[in-house]
Amino acid sequence: MDGRHFKIATTETHSKQLTFPDPSSDTRTKPCLRILSLNLKRLSQDWTKVYGHPIWLVETFVDPRFFKGVCYKAAGWIFLGHSTGFARSSQGYLLHNKPKMVFVRSLKAQVQKQLNNLNLTIQLRKETKPMKLSLKDAEFLDELLQQIPEHRMPRGVRHRKRSILAISICAIICNAWSFAAIAEWAKRCPQNMLKRLSYRYNTKTKRYEPPSEPTIRRFLQQVDAEAVDKVLSRWFQSVGDKSLPIAVDGKTLCGARQPDGKQVHLLAAFLHKQGIVLAQTQVDRKTNEIPMVPVLFDDLDIKDRVVTFDALHAQKETAHIT
């Protein structure tokens, strides 16, 4: 691992904190300072436990149109200056002329000297252990997949609906991100696996046959995506750790486009530690994430669960829902 990538990995962007414009508001500033202090004290330790490497430097951005960063200044964060006023997009970087204030805070002594060292020796990647699923979990997924409506005409169907969906899910989990890659992954599957997935048995060749790339592509392009999403959401909720906090955040998909050419924006509820998306819903371009929170929680059990949001969702209606 070279020095440049290590510097990126050991520098973390801090979550947004609400700050108050009046430095003399002592009673208002102290709770924010306390929250910052508690977060920073355990940040590096928690990060090491989850990702396998420490955090040496944190940074945050403050929009000067709405905030002055008083709490960050009071907590000893260093003001570096303003950003150049660009935003990242699928086409690169776009100029929006709304520069942000940039603050940094070191979590390690002599951090500048350490980050300038080009011969850093540290293992950044943590060993990933495979997720173990019980037979009960696998059978429940199979049961849910059968609930997805069949969109094909009965005549000429050679491969079962659940078989194509199951092989596609397995291939995607193994980093097969295209239709051709899914078909190649299915072709390399042993006969025992194809048999367990109920694939068609060819009496002439005496072998179970996986679907071809055109079959997989046509099926996945025409299947009810919303039904698949709900089924997978139910299954992920069943295998997810119910003691873990749920994080809610919105992201714009880079490679997905709507019929009018606009990018797809999703609001998702997920488990950080397990990397599981419990539920997601699309945010229409005519609205924003705030009114979509009740829709997101329609099929999600959040009773006695800790749910985290970013500052955008500091709304009374959202608080009443959770």
Side-chain angles (χ1 to χ4, degrees):
M1 178 71 65
D2 60 42
R4 175 182 174 274
H5 287 93
F6 179 80
K7 293 168 191 173
I8 295 174
T10 53
T11 305
E12 171 62 13
T13 302
H14 195 268
S15 299
K16 298 180 181 67
Q17 299 280 351
L18 291 177
T19 56
F20 299 93
D22 184 8
S24 62
S25 301
D26 222 18
T27 56
R28 295 183 175 185
T29 307
K30 283 183 178 179
C32 186
L33 293 176
R34 178 64 174 166
I35 294 172
L36 278 173
S37 175
L38 292 175
N39 275 277
L40 294 181
K41 282 181 179 179
R42 62 177 301 165
L43 175 62
S44 186
Q45 180 182 353
D46 290 348
W47 196 274
T48 303
K49 186 183 299 182
V50 176
Y51 298 104
H53 67 83
I55 293 294
W56 289 356
L57 186 76
V58 290
E59 68 175 1
T60 190
F61 299 88
V62 176
D63 193 332
R65 297 175 301 162
F66 308 110
F67 308 106
K68 295 185 178 180
V70 174
C71 285
Y72 291 112
K73 295 176 183 177
W77 290 60
I78 301 173
F79 173 61
L80 296 183
H82 291 82
S83 63
T84 54
F86 281 85
R88 191 173 182 179
S89 69
S90 58
Q91 287 83 30
Y93 288 88
L94 300 177
L95 180 65
H96 56 60
N97 288 321
K98 299 173 184 176
K100 306 293 190 299
M101 301 168 66
V102 183
F103 292 88
V104 296
R105 170 74 183 271
S106 63
L107 302 181
K108 181 180 174 65
Q110 298 182 335
V111 65
Q112 185 174 358
K113 182 180 179 181
Q114 295 282 352
L115 291 177
N116 285 332
N117 185 5
L118 297 178
N119 299 315
L120 294 170
T121 55
I122 187 170
Q123 183 66 31
L124 294 182
R125 293 193 177 274
K126 186 179 180 181
E127 181 183 357
T128 303
K129 297 181 180 180
M131 184 178 181
K132 295 182 179 180
L133 297 176
S134 65
L135 179 60
K136 182 180 178 181
D137 294 330
E139 290 177 345
F140 184 51
L141 176 60
D142 180 64
E143 177 186 334
L144 291 175
L145 292 179
Q146 296 185 48
Q147 297 177 11
I148 297 174
E150 175 64 82
H151 59 275
R152 299 173 296 177
M153 299 294 292
R155 182 179 179 181
V157 172
R158 300 178 63 188
H159 298 283
R160 293 181 175 89
K161 167 191 63 181
R162 60 174 285 271
S163 300
I164 298 178
L165 288 169
I167 205 78
S168 300
I169 291 172
C170 294
I172 292 172
I173 291 175
C174 296
N175 292 326
W177 296 107
S178 66
F179 299 124
I182 295 173
E184 287 294 328
W185 193 91
K187 190 181 295 183
R188 294 194 297 268
C189 285
Q191 287 291 297
N192 286 339
M193 179 177 286
L194 295 178
K195 180 181 179 180
R196 291 180 63 185
L197 295 175
S198 304
Y199 269 99
R200 177 176 174 268
Y201 182 73
N202 191 323
T203 55
K204 294 182 179 179
T205 61
K206 308 294 184 183
R207 293 179 63 83
Y208 293 94
E209 296 181 343
S212 63
E213 188 274 340
T215 300
I216 295 173
R217 173 166 38 85
R218 286 194 298 266
F219 182 90
L220 295 181
Q221 286 177 340
Q222 297 174 12
V223 73
D224 187 343
E226 186 174 348
V228 173
D229 187 68
K230 288 185 177 180
V231 160
L232 292 180
S233 175
R234 283 187 60 191
W235 186 69
F236 283 135
Q237 291 180 49
S238 70
V239 299
D241 189 344
K242 293 178 173 54
S243 65
L244 294 176
I246 300 173
V248 176
D249 195 16
K251 294 295 179 185
T252 300
L253 304 184
C254 295
R257 297 281 176 175
Q258 301 182 52
D260 58 0
K262 299 291 184 179
Q263 288 183 289
V264 177
H265 189 85
L266 296 178
L267 182 66
F270 52 94
L271 302 179
H272 271 299
K273 191 171 183 179
Q274 290 185 299
I276 294 178
V277 177
L278 299 176
Q280 61 183 11
T281 185
Q282 185 172 333
V283 180
D284 190 85
R285 59 189 180 93
K286 295 181 180 179
T287 182
N288 56 46
E289 296 178 8
I290 297 174
M292 301 308 296
V293 172
V295 180
L296 180 68
F297 288 157
D298 275 346
D299 300 318
L300 186 61
D301 183 14
I302 59 173
K303 184 179 180 180
D304 299 327
R305 301 286 293 270
V306 175
V307 184
T308 63
F309 301 83
D310 58 23
L312 174 68
H313 295 281
Q315 311 288 332
K316 290 182 179 179
E317 293 79 8
T318 303
H320 290 153
I321 295 171
T322 55

